[in-house]
Amino acid sequence: MTARDVSVSYENGAKSAIRNINLDIGEKQVLAMIGPSGCGKSTFLRCLNRMNDTVPGCEVKGEILLDGHNIYAKDQEIVELRSQVGMVFQRPNPFPKSIYDNVAYGPRIHGLVDTKDELDEVIEQSLRRAGLWEEVKTRLDQPATGLSGGQQQRLCIARTIAIAPEVILMDEPCSALDPIATGIIEDLINELKENFSIVIVTHSMSQASRVSDRTAYFHLGDLVEVNETKKVFEDPEHKLTRDYIGGRFG
Ligand code: ADP
C-alpha cells in the first residue's frame, strides 16, 4: 500500500490535518506511526480504509494505492476495501454477540465461506492465529463481553484476520490494556506480520521500537521522517525526531 501526496482537512477545508504525505506501507512488515498528539497519525491511518468518509466536512486529497489501484477512485467498493484493509481500535469493541459470532461476522457478510464446516474452520484458525483458541474453545457460544480486556482485543484481532485482509490497521491497540496483555498483543503482532502488512499508531516509543520494522515520525501534520526503526531511534535524521524521541516534547 502506498500513499501519494495525501492531504486531509476537516471542517470543509478550514482545518488542515495532514499535508502531502508520501509513505509506503511495506508488505509483511510493521510500520509504526509516532508523534505528538494531534499531529495527524490517526487521520492518516483512517485514510487507509476510508474511515474518514463518514466524517462530515473531511476532505482527502491525493492517492492511496492498494495493489496498484487508487482506493479513492470512483469505482472503489467500500465493502471490498474493508475486506482488504482491516482495523483494530484503541478499545476492544466486540459486538454484543457470542465469541463465535464475533469472528463469524466478517466471513458471513463478505460471503467468504459456503458451509458451516468451512466457517468453523475459519473461526478456529483465526482464533488460533490470534492466540486465543485454547482460552475460548470450550465456550465459543458465550458472550464476547465476558472476556477480559486483553482477550477481547485478541478477539477483535481474530475478527479482523478472519476476513483475510492484506493490511491490518491498529490505532493504539494496547492503550486500554495492562502490561501483560500488552506483551501478548506485541508478540502477536510479531507473528502476524508473517502474513499481513500492519500499520500501528502508538504513543509508546518502546512499543514502536519493539514491534515495528519501520517507523514514521509525524509532526504537526507533516511526515518528518520515515526509516528503519533502529535508524529512527538510534540515529534520526531530523532534529524534530531526535527531540521527540529524547523526550524533549510530546
Ligand atoms: P493524532 O492521531 O496524531 O493525535 P489526529 O489525526 O487525531 O492526530 O488529529 C490531527 C488534527 O486533526 C488535530 O488538529 C485534530 O484536532 C484534527 N481533527 C481530528 N479529527 C477531527 C474532526 N473529526 N474534526 C475536526 N478536526 C479533527
Side-chain angles (χ1 to χ4, degrees):
M1 204 171 200
T2 302
R4 284 200 192 140
D5 269 333
V6 172
S7 299
V8 180
S9 58
Y10 292 104
E11 299 167 11
N12 300 310
K15 191 168 176 187
S16 161
I18 51 175
R19 283 170 299 278
N20 302 100
I21 306 294
N22 287 287
L23 188 53
D24 268 329
I25 288 124
E27 235 172 83
K28 299 186 179 168
Q29 281 196 347
V30 180
L31 172 73
M33 303 201 294
I34 61 168
S37 282
C39 66
K41 306 178 295 293
S42 304
T43 296
F44 180 73
L45 192 77
R46 290 195 300 260
C47 287
L48 300 175
N49 71 347
R50 294 190 51 174
M51 290 259 297
N52 290 322
D53 284 15
T54 56
V55 179
C58 176
E59 294 171 356
V60 179
K61 291 189 182 137
E63 289 191 333
I64 294 178
L65 303 173
L66 179 61
D67 301 328
H69 182 264
N70 180 14
I71 66 167
Y72 282 88
K74 284 206 172 64
D75 62 351
Q76 176 69 56
E77 300 262 355
I78 298 299
V79 174
E80 193 194 345
L81 175 64
R82 300 278 160 79
S83 73
Q84 295 168 303
V85 184
M87 177 123 183
V88 175
F89 295 87
Q90 271 186 30
R91 295 201 162 265
N93 58 346
F95 305 131
K97 292 168 180 275
S98 68
I99 294 168
Y100 185 97
D101 283 340
N102 264 272
V103 187
Y105 181 81
R108 278 178 177 147
I109 60 162
H110 292 293
L112 302 182
V113 287
D114 295 322
T115 65
K116 172 84 167 62
D117 281 355
E118 276 175 34
L119 184 59
D120 287 351
E121 179 64 22
V122 168
I123 285 165
E124 178 172 343
Q125 287 312 319
S126 305
L127 286 166
R128 279 192 189 282
R129 282 158 104 183
L132 194 58
W133 175 250
E134 292 302 326
E135 290 159 64
V136 300
K137 64 182 180 189
T138 57
R139 48 177 174 141
L140 295 174
D141 56 342
Q142 290 179 20
T145 44
L147 298 171
S148 72
Q151 288 173 324
Q152 287 187 15
Q153 196 60 308
R154 278 181 282 148
L155 180 68
C156 292
I157 291 172
R159 191 173 67 189
T160 302
I161 59 185
I163 54 170
E166 288 177 42
V167 183
I168 302 177
L169 311 177
M170 298 186 169
D171 194 354
E172 293 185 58
C174 302
S175 63
L177 304 181
D178 65 42
I180 291 172
T182 296
I184 294 171
I185 300 278
E186 289 182 1
D187 290 345
L188 183 55
I189 291 172
N190 268 317
E191 287 165 27
L192 290 175
K193 75 176 181 188
E194 284 180 22
N195 294 293
F196 305 98
S197 309
I198 298 174
V199 187
I200 178 170
V201 169
T202 177
H203 272 121
S204 158
M205 285 187 273
S206 55
Q207 178 166 77
S209 62
R210 281 193 298 270
V211 303
S212 70
D213 300 289
R214 289 162 71 236
T215 295
Y217 174 67
F218 283 71
H219 185 85
L220 295 176
D222 295 314
L223 173 61
V224 173
E225 162 160 15
V226 57
N227 222 323
E228 302 295 318
T229 293
K230 197 169 155 52
K231 165 90 176 127
V232 171
F233 281 94
E234 292 178 6
D235 181 23
E237 275 172 15
H238 291 266
K239 182 175 183 304
L240 286 169
T241 319
R242 205 174 310 127
D243 287 352
Y244 181 70
I245 285 169
R248 278 188 275 279
F249 62 86

mmCIF file of all heavy atoms in Angstrom, residues 8-11 15-18 34-46 52 55-56 58 90 171-172 201 203 218 221, ligand 1:
data_model
loop_
_atom_site.group_PDB
_atom_site.id
_atom_site.type_symbol
_atom_site.label_atom_id
_atom_site.label_comp_id
_atom_site.label_asym_id
_atom_site.label_seq_id
_atom_site.Cartn_x
_atom_site.Cartn_y
_atom_site.Cartn_z
ATOM 1 N N VAL A 8 -5.195 15.906 4.157
ATOM 2 C CA VAL A 8 -6.546 15.812 4.709
ATOM 3 C C VAL A 8 -6.858 17.080 5.466
ATOM 4 O O VAL A 8 -6.022 17.598 6.223
ATOM 5 C CB VAL A 8 -6.680 14.601 5.681
ATOM 6 C CG1 VAL A 8 -8.095 14.525 6.250
ATOM 7 C CG2 VAL A 8 -6.322 13.298 4.984
ATOM 8 N N SER A 9 -8.074 17.598 5.223
ATOM 9 C CA SER A 9 -8.541 18.728 6.022
ATOM 10 C C SER A 9 -9.902 18.396 6.604
ATOM 11 O O SER A 9 -10.619 17.526 6.092
ATOM 12 C CB SER A 9 -8.616 19.988 5.170
ATOM 13 O OG SER A 9 -9.473 19.755 4.085
ATOM 14 N N TYR A 10 -10.218 19.071 7.699
ATOM 15 C CA TYR A 10 -11.535 18.945 8.321
ATOM 16 C C TYR A 10 -12.267 20.275 8.153
ATOM 17 O O TYR A 10 -11.690 21.272 7.717
ATOM 18 C CB TYR A 10 -11.388 18.614 9.814
ATOM 19 C CG TYR A 10 -10.819 17.228 10.061
ATOM 20 C CD1 TYR A 10 -9.490 17.058 10.453
ATOM 21 C CD2 TYR A 10 -11.604 16.090 9.907
ATOM 22 C CE1 TYR A 10 -8.957 15.787 10.676
ATOM 23 C CE2 TYR A 10 -11.080 14.816 10.146
ATOM 24 C CZ TYR A 10 -9.764 14.667 10.530
ATOM 25 O OH TYR A 10 -9.254 13.416 10.760
ATOM 26 N N GLU A 11 -13.520 20.272 8.555
ATOM 27 C CA GLU A 11 -14.338 21.490 8.541
ATOM 28 C C GLU A 11 -14.329 22.148 7.159
ATOM 29 O O GLU A 11 -14.076 23.347 7.021
ATOM 30 C CB GLU A 11 -13.876 22.445 9.656
ATOM 31 C CG GLU A 11 -14.032 21.781 11.026
ATOM 32 C CD GLU A 11 -13.314 22.511 12.158
ATOM 33 O OE1 GLU A 11 -12.865 23.643 11.941
ATOM 34 O OE2 GLU A 11 -13.215 21.921 13.242
ATOM 35 N N LYS A 15 -9.617 23.448 8.289
ATOM 36 C CA LYS A 15 -8.614 22.949 9.225
ATOM 37 C C LYS A 15 -7.760 21.871 8.554
ATOM 38 O O LYS A 15 -8.255 20.784 8.255
ATOM 39 C CB LYS A 15 -9.347 22.365 10.432
ATOM 40 C CG LYS A 15 -8.478 22.034 11.595
ATOM 41 C CD LYS A 15 -9.380 21.753 12.774
ATOM 42 C CE LYS A 15 -8.601 21.324 13.975
ATOM 43 N NZ LYS A 15 -9.496 20.910 15.056
ATOM 44 N N SER A 16 -6.506 22.194 8.299
ATOM 45 C CA SER A 16 -5.625 21.226 7.658
ATOM 46 C C SER A 16 -5.089 20.264 8.721
ATOM 47 O O SER A 16 -4.591 20.695 9.758
ATOM 48 C CB SER A 16 -4.476 22.011 6.993
ATOM 49 O OG SER A 16 -3.395 21.157 6.749
ATOM 50 N N ALA A 17 -5.200 18.979 8.464
ATOM 51 C CA ALA A 17 -4.749 17.994 9.467
ATOM 52 C C ALA A 17 -3.437 17.337 9.065
ATOM 53 O O ALA A 17 -2.524 17.203 9.882
ATOM 54 C CB ALA A 17 -5.818 16.937 9.694
ATOM 55 N N ILE A 18 -3.335 16.900 7.800
ATOM 56 C CA ILE A 18 -2.052 16.354 7.301
ATOM 57 C C ILE A 18 -1.802 16.893 5.893
ATOM 58 O O ILE A 18 -2.744 17.174 5.149
ATOM 59 C CB ILE A 18 -2.000 14.804 7.291
ATOM 60 C CG1 ILE A 18 -3.213 14.183 6.591
ATOM 61 C CG2 ILE A 18 -1.834 14.250 8.671
ATOM 62 C CD1 ILE A 18 -3.127 12.657 6.460
ATOM 63 N N ILE A 34 4.480 7.382 14.903
ATOM 64 C CA ILE A 34 4.632 8.039 16.202
ATOM 65 C C ILE A 34 4.613 9.553 16.012
ATOM 66 O O ILE A 34 4.761 10.049 14.889
ATOM 67 C CB ILE A 34 5.932 7.615 16.930
ATOM 68 C CG1 ILE A 34 7.182 7.994 16.105
ATOM 69 C CG2 ILE A 34 5.935 6.119 17.222
ATOM 70 C CD1 ILE A 34 8.497 7.856 16.899
ATOM 71 N N GLY A 35 4.467 10.264 17.125
ATOM 72 C CA GLY A 35 4.475 11.722 17.074
ATOM 73 C C GLY A 35 3.538 12.285 18.124
ATOM 74 O O GLY A 35 2.684 11.564 18.648
ATOM 75 N N PRO A 36 3.693 13.574 18.438
ATOM 76 C CA PRO A 36 2.868 14.183 19.485
ATOM 77 C C PRO A 36 1.374 14.106 19.149
ATOM 78 O O PRO A 36 1.017 14.010 17.979
ATOM 79 C CB PRO A 36 3.323 15.650 19.511
ATOM 80 C CG PRO A 36 4.531 15.742 18.661
ATOM 81 C CD PRO A 36 4.622 14.517 17.815
ATOM 82 N N SER A 37 0.524 14.196 20.163
ATOM 83 C CA SER A 37 -0.923 14.192 19.943
ATOM 84 C C SER A 37 -1.316 15.285 18.968
ATOM 85 O O SER A 37 -0.772 16.387 19.012
ATOM 86 C CB SER A 37 -1.649 14.478 21.258
ATOM 87 O OG SER A 37 -1.664 13.340 22.015
ATOM 88 N N GLY A 38 -2.259 14.968 18.110
ATOM 89 C CA GLY A 38 -2.791 15.973 17.183
ATOM 90 C C GLY A 38 -1.948 16.175 15.942
ATOM 91 O O GLY A 38 -2.233 17.056 15.135
ATOM 92 N N CYS A 39 -0.913 15.335 15.744
ATOM 93 C CA CYS A 39 -0.042 15.549 14.580
ATOM 94 C C CYS A 39 -0.575 14.851 13.330
ATOM 95 O O CYS A 39 0.018 14.969 12.270
ATOM 96 C CB CYS A 39 1.377 15.089 14.884
ATOM 97 S SG CYS A 39 1.499 13.320 15.142
ATOM 98 N N GLY A 40 -1.673 14.113 13.457
ATOM 99 C CA GLY A 40 -2.314 13.573 12.261
ATOM 100 C C GLY A 40 -2.147 12.080 12.041
ATOM 101 O O GLY A 40 -2.519 11.572 10.987
ATOM 102 N N LYS A 41 -1.641 11.347 13.040
ATOM 103 C CA LYS A 41 -1.418 9.907 12.872
ATOM 104 C C LYS A 41 -2.735 9.163 12.617
ATOM 105 O O LYS A 41 -2.836 8.382 11.694
ATOM 106 C CB LYS A 41 -0.739 9.317 14.126
ATOM 107 C CG LYS A 41 0.539 10.006 14.536
ATOM 108 C CD LYS A 41 1.123 9.403 15.814
ATOM 109 C CE LYS A 41 0.282 9.580 17.071
ATOM 110 N NZ LYS A 41 0.145 10.956 17.568
ATOM 111 N N SER A 42 -3.725 9.440 13.475
ATOM 112 C CA SER A 42 -5.000 8.725 13.318
ATOM 113 C C SER A 42 -5.695 9.146 12.038
ATOM 114 O O SER A 42 -6.329 8.320 11.368
ATOM 115 C CB SER A 42 -5.946 9.003 14.494
ATOM 116 O OG SER A 42 -5.320 8.665 15.680
ATOM 117 N N THR A 43 -5.585 10.425 11.702
ATOM 118 C CA THR A 43 -6.190 10.902 10.457
ATOM 119 C C THR A 43 -5.614 10.125 9.279
ATOM 120 O O THR A 43 -6.351 9.637 8.418
ATOM 121 C CB THR A 43 -5.903 12.413 10.283
ATOM 122 O OG1 THR A 43 -6.555 13.123 11.337
ATOM 123 C CG2 THR A 43 -6.390 12.919 8.940
ATOM 124 N N PHE A 44 -4.297 9.965 9.267
ATOM 125 C CA PHE A 44 -3.676 9.232 8.161
ATOM 126 C C PHE A 44 -4.098 7.762 8.184
ATOM 127 O O PHE A 44 -4.463 7.192 7.151
ATOM 128 C CB PHE A 44 -2.147 9.356 8.212
ATOM 129 C CG PHE A 44 -1.489 8.619 7.086
ATOM 130 C CD1 PHE A 44 -1.544 9.122 5.798
ATOM 131 C CD2 PHE A 44 -0.852 7.410 7.298
ATOM 132 C CE1 PHE A 44 -0.977 8.424 4.733
ATOM 133 C CE2 PHE A 44 -0.279 6.714 6.239
ATOM 134 C CZ PHE A 44 -0.339 7.224 4.960
ATOM 135 N N LEU A 45 -4.082 7.166 9.373
ATOM 136 C CA LEU A 45 -4.473 5.751 9.487
ATOM 137 C C LEU A 45 -5.884 5.548 8.930
ATOM 138 O O LEU A 45 -6.139 4.605 8.180
ATOM 139 C CB LEU A 45 -4.419 5.315 10.961
ATOM 140 C CG LEU A 45 -4.524 3.822 11.211
ATOM 141 C CD1 LEU A 45 -3.191 3.143 10.896
ATOM 142 C CD2 LEU A 45 -4.917 3.522 12.654
ATOM 143 N N ARG A 46 -6.778 6.477 9.295
ATOM 144 C CA ARG A 46 -8.177 6.334 8.860
ATOM 145 C C ARG A 46 -8.335 6.511 7.351
ATOM 146 O O ARG A 46 -9.300 6.023 6.770
ATOM 147 C CB ARG A 46 -9.077 7.299 9.641
ATOM 148 C CG ARG A 46 -9.240 6.912 11.108
ATOM 149 C CD ARG A 46 -10.405 7.644 11.750
ATOM 150 N NE ARG A 46 -10.221 9.087 11.696
ATOM 151 C CZ ARG A 46 -9.779 9.828 12.701
ATOM 152 N NH1 ARG A 46 -9.476 9.260 13.843
ATOM 153 N NH2 ARG A 46 -9.644 11.126 12.558
ATOM 154 N N ASN A 52 -12.464 8.028 7.092
ATOM 155 C CA ASN A 52 -12.778 9.458 7.162
ATOM 156 C C ASN A 52 -13.984 9.825 6.304
ATOM 157 O O ASN A 52 -14.514 10.921 6.434
ATOM 158 C CB ASN A 52 -11.574 10.298 6.691
ATOM 159 C CG ASN A 52 -10.431 10.246 7.678
ATOM 160 O OD1 ASN A 52 -10.648 10.239 8.875
ATOM 161 N ND2 ASN A 52 -9.201 10.194 7.182
ATOM 162 N N VAL A 55 -16.832 11.213 8.189
ATOM 163 C CA VAL A 55 -16.693 12.448 8.989
ATOM 164 C C VAL A 55 -17.149 13.633 8.125
ATOM 165 O O VAL A 55 -16.511 13.931 7.114
ATOM 166 C CB VAL A 55 -15.225 12.660 9.431
ATOM 167 C CG1 VAL A 55 -15.090 13.945 10.237
ATOM 168 C CG2 VAL A 55 -14.713 11.466 10.219
ATOM 169 N N PRO A 56 -18.252 14.299 8.503
ATOM 170 C CA PRO A 56 -18.731 15.409 7.679
ATOM 171 C C PRO A 56 -17.674 16.508 7.566
ATOM 172 O O PRO A 56 -17.033 16.842 8.566
ATOM 173 C CB PRO A 56 -19.967 15.930 8.433
ATOM 174 C CG PRO A 56 -20.320 14.872 9.417
ATOM 175 C CD PRO A 56 -19.068 14.101 9.709
ATOM 176 N N CYS A 58 -14.852 16.414 6.085
ATOM 177 C CA CYS A 58 -13.469 15.928 5.942
ATOM 178 C C CYS A 58 -13.163 15.727 4.460
ATOM 179 O O CYS A 58 -13.937 15.091 3.744
ATOM 180 C CB CYS A 58 -13.308 14.617 6.701
ATOM 181 S SG CYS A 58 -11.670 13.893 6.498
ATOM 182 N N GLN A 90 -8.599 1.315 19.479
ATOM 183 C CA GLN A 90 -7.953 1.516 20.791
ATOM 184 C C GLN A 90 -8.578 0.657 21.872
ATOM 185 O O GLN A 90 -7.910 -0.030 22.603
ATOM 186 C CB GLN A 90 -8.142 2.970 21.220
ATOM 187 C CG GLN A 90 -7.065 3.873 20.731
ATOM 188 C CD GLN A 90 -7.223 5.267 21.295
ATOM 189 O OE1 GLN A 90 -7.737 5.451 22.399
ATOM 190 N NE2 GLN A 90 -6.773 6.235 20.562
ATOM 191 N N ASP A 171 -4.979 1.178 15.805
ATOM 192 C CA ASP A 171 -4.916 2.513 16.383
ATOM 193 C C ASP A 171 -4.702 2.390 17.889
ATOM 194 O O ASP A 171 -5.652 2.133 18.625
ATOM 195 C CB ASP A 171 -6.210 3.275 16.079
ATOM 196 C CG ASP A 171 -6.073 4.761 16.348
ATOM 197 O OD1 ASP A 171 -5.019 5.180 16.881
ATOM 198 O OD2 ASP A 171 -7.013 5.508 16.044
ATOM 199 N N GLU A 172 -3.474 2.501 18.331
ATOM 200 C CA GLU A 172 -3.121 2.343 19.749
ATOM 201 C C GLU A 172 -3.815 1.130 20.372
ATOM 202 O O GLU A 172 -4.574 1.267 21.330
ATOM 203 C CB GLU A 172 -3.504 3.602 20.520
ATOM 204 C CG GLU A 172 -2.689 4.799 20.121
ATOM 205 C CD GLU A 172 -3.031 5.974 21.008
ATOM 206 O OE1 GLU A 172 -2.876 5.819 22.229
ATOM 207 O OE2 GLU A 172 -3.458 7.000 20.485
ATOM 208 N N VAL A 201 -0.490 2.786 15.106
ATOM 209 C CA VAL A 201 -0.267 4.074 15.760
ATOM 210 C C VAL A 201 -0.001 3.769 17.216
ATOM 211 O O VAL A 201 -0.754 3.010 17.846
ATOM 212 C CB VAL A 201 -1.524 4.980 15.657
ATOM 213 C CG1 VAL A 201 -1.379 6.193 16.570
ATOM 214 C CG2 VAL A 201 -1.751 5.418 14.226
ATOM 215 N N HIS A 203 1.549 5.509 21.084
ATOM 216 C CA HIS A 203 2.160 6.595 21.853
ATOM 217 C C HIS A 203 3.387 6.101 22.600
ATOM 218 O O HIS A 203 4.118 6.879 23.190
ATOM 219 C CB HIS A 203 1.150 7.163 22.865
ATOM 220 C CG HIS A 203 0.331 8.240 22.260
ATOM 221 N ND1 HIS A 203 -1.037 8.185 22.183
ATOM 222 C CD2 HIS A 203 0.695 9.387 21.659
ATOM 223 C CE1 HIS A 203 -1.475 9.264 21.556
ATOM 224 N NE2 HIS A 203 -0.445 10.003 21.230
ATOM 225 N N PHE A 218 5.583 11.735 12.699
ATOM 226 C CA PHE A 218 4.710 12.834 12.249
ATOM 227 C C PHE A 218 4.860 14.009 13.213
ATOM 228 O O PHE A 218 5.019 13.831 14.422
ATOM 229 C CB PHE A 218 3.234 12.405 12.270
ATOM 230 C CG PHE A 218 2.832 11.518 11.124
ATOM 231 C CD1 PHE A 218 3.278 10.208 11.044
ATOM 232 C CD2 PHE A 218 1.974 11.986 10.127
ATOM 233 C CE1 PHE A 218 2.897 9.381 9.989
ATOM 234 C CE2 PHE A 218 1.583 11.165 9.077
ATOM 235 C CZ PHE A 218 2.040 9.871 9.003
ATOM 236 N N GLY A 221 1.139 17.553 11.353
ATOM 237 C CA GLY A 221 0.546 17.284 10.043
ATOM 238 C C GLY A 221 1.532 16.946 8.947
ATOM 239 O O GLY A 221 1.128 16.678 7.816
HETATM 240 P P1 ADP B 1 -3.172 12.189 16.302
HETATM 241 O O1 ADP B 1 -3.748 10.881 15.932
HETATM 242 O O2 ADP B 1 -1.742 12.333 15.899
HETATM 243 O O3 ADP B 1 -3.373 12.549 17.749
HETATM 244 P P2 ADP B 1 -5.361 13.316 14.770
HETATM 245 O O4 ADP B 1 -5.285 12.710 13.430
HETATM 246 O O5 ADP B 1 -6.379 12.790 15.734
HETATM 247 O O6 ADP B 1 -3.911 13.313 15.437
HETATM 248 O O7 ADP B 1 -5.633 14.889 14.612
HETATM 249 C C1 ADP B 1 -4.937 15.709 13.669
HETATM 250 C C2 ADP B 1 -5.606 17.083 13.645
HETATM 251 O O8 ADP B 1 -6.900 16.962 13.073
HETATM 252 C C3 ADP B 1 -5.787 17.700 15.023
HETATM 253 O O9 ADP B 1 -5.605 19.092 14.906
HETATM 254 C C4 ADP B 1 -7.226 17.365 15.357
HETATM 255 O O10 ADP B 1 -7.781 18.345 16.208
HETATM 256 C C5 ADP B 1 -7.875 17.433 13.985
HETATM 257 N N1 ADP B 1 -9.064 16.559 13.898
HETATM 258 C C6 ADP B 1 -9.086 15.206 14.043
HETATM 259 N N2 ADP B 1 -10.348 14.743 13.876
HETATM 260 C C7 ADP B 1 -11.130 15.827 13.603
HETATM 261 C C8 ADP B 1 -12.520 16.019 13.323
HETATM 262 N N3 ADP B 1 -13.382 14.972 13.273
HETATM 263 N N4 ADP B 1 -12.962 17.276 13.106
HETATM 264 C C9 ADP B 1 -12.118 18.339 13.155
HETATM 265 N N5 ADP B 1 -10.789 18.229 13.396
HETATM 266 C C10 ADP B 1 -10.298 16.993 13.623
#
